[in-house]
Structures are given as structure tokens and as C-alpha cells.
Amino acid sequence: MEDGAILDLFFLRSEEALKETDLKYGKKLNGVSYRITRDWSEAEECVNDTYLAAWNCIPPKRPTYFSAFLCKIVRNISFDLVDKKTAQKRNAVVVSLDEELAEILSDPKIESVEENALARAIGKFLKKTDKTSRILFIRRYFYADSMTELSYLAEMSVNAVTVKLSRIRKKLRAFLRREGFDL
């Protein structure tokens, strides 16, 4: 079923919307959540919470990119769960991603910058990069794919993926500086 038809079901408040959403995106959402939580039962719980969140905000929202909308929700819910679960002890996945992006966004002043402006700038940067770099960046920092998963996806060695992501982060940092972000 197409996204527009699924969203129409949400607007009609039909429970069929949840079934169709699960059929179309359940596997993808579980994968995103599992890569963050590292626990299938917690991932399933996060996906169910995602469906509830979608149910509660559609309508009035009608997301243009339904898949990205759902992935963002499940990602946030999964990171929140990991944060609650490991309040004193950080999860290795979260620490790894935080440390990698800290090269770019390490200055606490960045928090004062409007998040939407930063997101638009990163999107602008990614549009200018090659397809492989764009996919690797999004899969690593949005979907939390491991380096092994990325190397398989890109048909590159793990070391090559690591180097490529490092170069992308350096280019992003330079780009954000040119765009006026004080890093």
C-alpha cells in the first residue's frame, strides 16, 4: 500500500493504518531500533511506541516523507530508552556515534544554534556529496549502522569505510564553518 493511502487511513482513524504501517515499515523500524538498543524485545517495544506516537500526531500532521517520519520517531524513542536504561553507564553504540560527531559538533555553543538551521545546513552539505558518501553518512549517523554493516552495503573494507566517514566529517566541519556555524 502506498504511503498516501496509509496516511488517509490514519486520518480516518482506522486501525488498519497501523497494520499497513507495520507491514510496510515494521522490519525497517525494528532494524533501526535494534541497532540502537541491541535488544530485540526492546526494539519491538520502541516500534510499538512509534506506532502510538504516529497515531497520536496523525492527524493533524501529514508527513511528506512517511518512512523518514517513522524512522525519526523510532530513533528518538530508542535513544531515550537507552539513556534511561544506562543513566550511569553509556551504551557503546551511543558513545561511538557521539564521539565521531563530536569532531564536528563539539562546541557547546552549537546548542544555542537553531536546530532547524543546522539540519538544513547538513542537508545542503549532503546534497553536494557523492551518493556513496551520502548513504554512508546517513546510514551511520541516522540509522546507527555498524561499520561492518556499512562495509557490506558499500562493498568496501571496514577500514575504507572508517576513512571515508572521517573525511566526510572533516568536509562537513569545514562546510559548517563556511555557513557561519561557530564550531
Side-chain angles (χ1 to χ4, degrees):
M1 183 177 276
E2 294 297 315
D3 289 352
I6 295 172
L7 290 170
D8 289 342
L9 291 172
F10 272 99
F11 274 81
L12 294 172
R13 305 312 287 166
S14 170
E15 290 184 23
E16 189 69 24
L18 299 174
K19 292 176 189 167
E20 291 297 330
T21 301
D22 188 51
L23 280 174
K24 187 166 184 179
Y25 295 113
K27 185 176 179 181
K28 180 178 190 173
L29 297 174
N30 272 296
V32 169
S33 185
Y34 175 76
R35 285 189 292 275
I36 295 167
T37 63
R38 299 289 182 205
D39 182 300
W40 284 112
S41 64
E42 287 177 353
E44 187 176 330
E45 180 183 328
C46 291
V47 170
N48 287 332
D49 289 347
T50 299
Y51 295 151
L52 177 62
W55 182 263
N56 288 335
C57 67
I58 304 173
K61 287 186 180 179
R62 187 175 183 94
T64 306
Y65 303 104
F66 191 47
S67 172
F69 174 79
L70 293 171
C71 286
K72 184 175 181 179
I73 293 172
V74 78
R75 184 178 181 275
N76 290 340
I77 289 171
S78 299
F79 277 125
D80 287 347
L81 180 68
V82 169
D83 285 345
K84 287 177 190 171
K85 185 176 163 188
T86 58
Q88 296 296 321
K89 175 179 78 172
R90 293 292 304 253
N91 181 299
V93 173
V94 176
V95 170
S96 172
L97 293 175
D98 286 349
E99 288 171 356
E100 288 176 27
L101 286 177
E103 293 177 14
I104 302 166
L105 307 173
S106 60
D107 192 332
K109 294 178 198 169
I110 198 72
E111 293 176 19
S112 67
V113 175
E114 184 182 340
E115 286 181 19
N116 289 332
L118 179 60
R120 281 192 302 275
I122 292 171
K124 185 177 173 183
F125 168 78
L126 290 174
K127 285 180 185 175
K128 293 180 178 183
T129 63
D130 63 278
K131 184 178 179 180
T132 302
S133 296
R134 188 170 43 252
I135 290 170
L136 289 174
F137 187 89
I138 291 171
R139 297 293 307 205
R140 178 68 177 156
Y141 301 115
F142 188 80
Y143 293 112
D145 282 358
S146 71
M147 292 296 189
T148 305
E149 291 167 324
L150 291 174
S151 70
Y152 177 77
L153 176 72
E155 298 178 347
M156 302 165 71
S157 69
V158 172
N159 187 52
V161 170
T162 304
V163 169
K164 189 157 188 77
L165 283 170
S166 176
R167 290 178 180 158
I168 294 168
R169 289 191 306 270
K170 286 177 186 174
K171 288 178 184 176
L172 176 58
R173 182 183 187 108
F175 176 82
L176 290 175
R177 283 188 174 148
R178 284 192 309 273
E179 290 290 308
F181 291 91
D182 185 30
L183 303 173

